[in-house]
Amino acid sequence: MKILVVGPGGREHAIVRALRRDDAVTEVHAAPGNAGIALDVVTHSGVDASDPAAVTALASAENFDLVVVGPEAPLAAGVTDAVRDAGIPAFGPSAAAAQLEASKAFAKEIMAAAGVPTAEAVHASDLGTAAGALDRFGAPHVVKDDGLAAGKGVVVTDDRQAALAHAQACFDAGGTVVIEEFLDGPEVSLFVISDGENLVPLSPAQDFKRIYDDDAGPNTGGMGAYTPLDWLQDYTETDAAGLTRNFTEVVVDQVARPTLAEMARRGKPFIGVLYCGLAVTSRGVRVVEFNVRFGDPETQAVLERLATPLGGLLLDASTGVLGADRQLEWSEGYAADVVIAAENYPDSPRRGDVITGVPEAEALDGVAVLHAGTADQEGALVTAGGRVLAVVGTGDTLQEAVDRAYAGVDAISWQGAQHRTDIAAKALRGEITVGAEG
């Protein structure tokens, strides 16, 4: 099986690495890829990932058996539609189905129709409506850019003026906002792979969105993640019929399956991975957001533990043969990743700084370095984006996985490099607790 992975980031590097572990996968290419991906597979750096015609032309010319589209922008642009129209299997939703991420208002509409538990929300296109919604829900205020914002279009603040300013900035840019009630409780990410009818969940993970320790500073695309979540293992909910389900079963039954059924009912079957961003609240599981692709940086940790061959899994989903009872296999132990970001990220990250220490980090036991914003500049590895690298540690315990990830981080440096020092720290201290719904 010959596979093309579309995208330039850390998520795509994790997918490439996992595909290469699949014995049925004979060849992997990436478009455009990055400097790290280019060390592992053939890259097509001149291809625009969001250009449906360019991706389809490459897929046809190189006779790929499967195209895996990583980021949200190419999905919203219709890359998978064009690839499928050319007769090539593609993993990723159509542009119509990708509206689950491209429009938060659309996602809320789908959840309401499907009976999916989520935060109450108001879709606002003017400051008066926004102000009324902020007053209705109270602080903390949650204001989301309705469109794609690479994980950075959400403001959560107690400052009403800051919330209004974010809404106004979105209006000034020609957009709208969704204002929600704040959901208490820890957040969890769960990926669900679907072939349009059947689905299979992956391992829950937790990511860290704020730039600084203790969840301070602005939102980013994600500064680290870990899996599995020991503190979630005993979570159960019991329904009116007396059926008790664990966390993953609750999400599949209450969130993923109804959402996918509603999409199919509307003639927009969802083929790909539905990212369920969830809050485990005092009232039960609630959806914070949907994404329509593997999340970054959770993917770097989750796929590091996946023992099921990834190529066959994604091909089966792409061709409608996932099956109703698909089960996945996982390696024992834990995985954690720490993102190292460029100076001035997330506002205006510096580019072109020379990176050192990656080979030394990769030589450590249980450490992998996945590239996101990197480039090759005359033989030197340099920064080329906001989130530059994700250092993944694996181990028999969560502490060992975290320690290995940070050992890798300590080996790497460049001017202005920054990272959080508290990935999984609350879990390790036993400070995360969730209630069970009876």
Side-chain angles (χ1 to χ4, degrees):
M1 185 171 19
K2 183 178 178 181
I3 300 178
L4 173 64
V5 177
V6 178
R11 162 187 45 236
E12 288 73 48
H13 200 181
I15 292 170
V16 164
R17 282 175 53 97
L19 289 172
R20 294 181 70 210
R21 296 196 297 266
D22 185 341
D23 291 338
V25 176
T26 55
E27 197 172 345
V28 180
H29 291 214
N34 58 43
I37 294 174
L39 296 175
D40 293 338
V41 300
V42 174
T43 57
H44 303 266
S45 58
V47 173
D48 180 353
S50 294
D51 184 338
V55 174
T56 302
L58 173 62
S60 299
E62 292 282 348
N63 295 313
F64 286 104
D65 300 300
L66 174 66
V67 175
V68 179
V69 181
E72 59 272 30
L75 294 167
V79 169
T80 58
D81 300 83
V83 171
R84 289 188 186 110
D85 286 346
I88 303 168
F91 182 81
S94 65
Q99 285 296 105
L100 276 174
E101 179 172 359
S103 170
K104 295 182 176 57
F106 176 77
K108 286 292 187 182
E109 177 190 329
I110 292 294
M111 283 186 269
V116 171
T118 186
E120 288 190 56
V122 171
H123 184 205
S125 56
D126 62 82
L127 205 59
T129 304
L134 293 176
D135 293 339
R136 172 185 167 187
F137 295 133
H141 305 294
V142 182
V143 184
K144 299 180 176 181
D145 187 338
D146 183 47
L148 295 177
K152 292 172 281 188
V154 180
V155 165
V156 181
T157 178
D158 289 323
D159 185 337
R160 186 175 183 276
Q161 287 306 117
L164 282 173
H166 180 63
Q168 187 63 60
C170 293
F171 300 149
D172 291 344
T176 59
V177 297
V178 171
I179 297 175
E180 297 182 352
E181 65 170 329
F182 178 77
L183 296 175
D184 65 336
E187 292 192 13
V188 176
S189 303
L190 182 68
F191 304 150
V192 177
I193 292 177
S194 169
D195 65 1
E197 179 180 359
N198 295 307
L199 59 87
V200 60
L202 276 66
S203 174
Q206 185 174 59
D207 78 325
F208 297 79
K209 294 181 175 64
R210 302 279 189 161
I211 184 67
Y212 301 127
D213 285 4
D214 299 319
D215 296 322
N219 272 341
T220 71
M223 295 300 294
Y226 68 98
T227 186
L229 310 181
D230 287 345
W231 51 267
L232 199 59
Q233 289 182 355
D234 294 331
Y235 181 91
T236 60
E237 289 190 21
T238 303
D239 63 17
L243 177 65
T244 299
R245 297 165 295 180
N246 63 28
F247 175 82
T248 298
E249 291 168 338
V250 168
V251 176
V252 167
D253 291 344
Q254 294 187 3
V255 176
R257 205 179 298 282
T259 297
L260 297 175
E262 178 63 18
M263 293 296 288
R265 189 188 69 79
R266 296 185 180 210
K268 303 175 181 180
F270 189 96
I271 299 168
V273 59
L274 180 66
Y275 169 120
C276 302
L278 308 151
V280 189
T281 78
S282 56
R283 295 174 291 158
V285 174
R286 297 289 185 272
V287 175
V288 175
E289 65 175 347
F290 284 140
N291 292 330
V292 296
R293 34 70 189 185
F294 283 111
D296 183 345
E298 297 97 325
T299 302
Q300 288 89 316
V302 170
L303 291 189
E304 199 70 19
R305 292 187 57 245
L306 181 66
T308 296
L310 183 63
L313 177 65
L314 301 188
L315 181 64
D316 288 350
S318 302
T319 54
V321 295
L322 192 61
D325 301 310
R326 191 66 167 259
Q327 299 292 320
L328 303 182
E329 296 180 357
W330 299 91
S331 299
E332 296 293 331
Y334 298 76
D337 65 80
V338 179
V339 169
I340 316 178
E343 185 175 357
N344 295 331
Y345 178 74
D347 294 326
S348 54
R350 278 173 51 103
R351 296 169 181 259
D353 290 312
V354 176
I355 303 166
T356 62
V358 171
E360 290 78 5
E362 291 181 318
L364 298 172
D365 287 341
V367 174
V369 180
L370 301 180
H371 293 237
T374 64
D376 186 318
Q377 183 174 290
E378 298 180 353
L381 184 67
V382 301
T383 60
R387 292 181 299 161
V388 179
L389 300 169
V391 182
V392 185
T394 54
D396 294 334
T397 65
L398 178 58
Q399 185 69 68
E400 184 175 44
V402 169
D403 288 346
R404 286 176 168 175
Y406 278 111
V409 169
D410 290 342
I412 297 169
S413 65
W414 66 83
Q415 182 179 335
Q418 57 176 323
H419 66 274
R420 284 184 58 156
T421 66
D422 64 346
I423 301 303
K426 289 183 179 179
L428 289 169
R429 294 194 299 263
E431 294 177 1
I432 304 178
T433 58
V434 293
E437 189 89 341

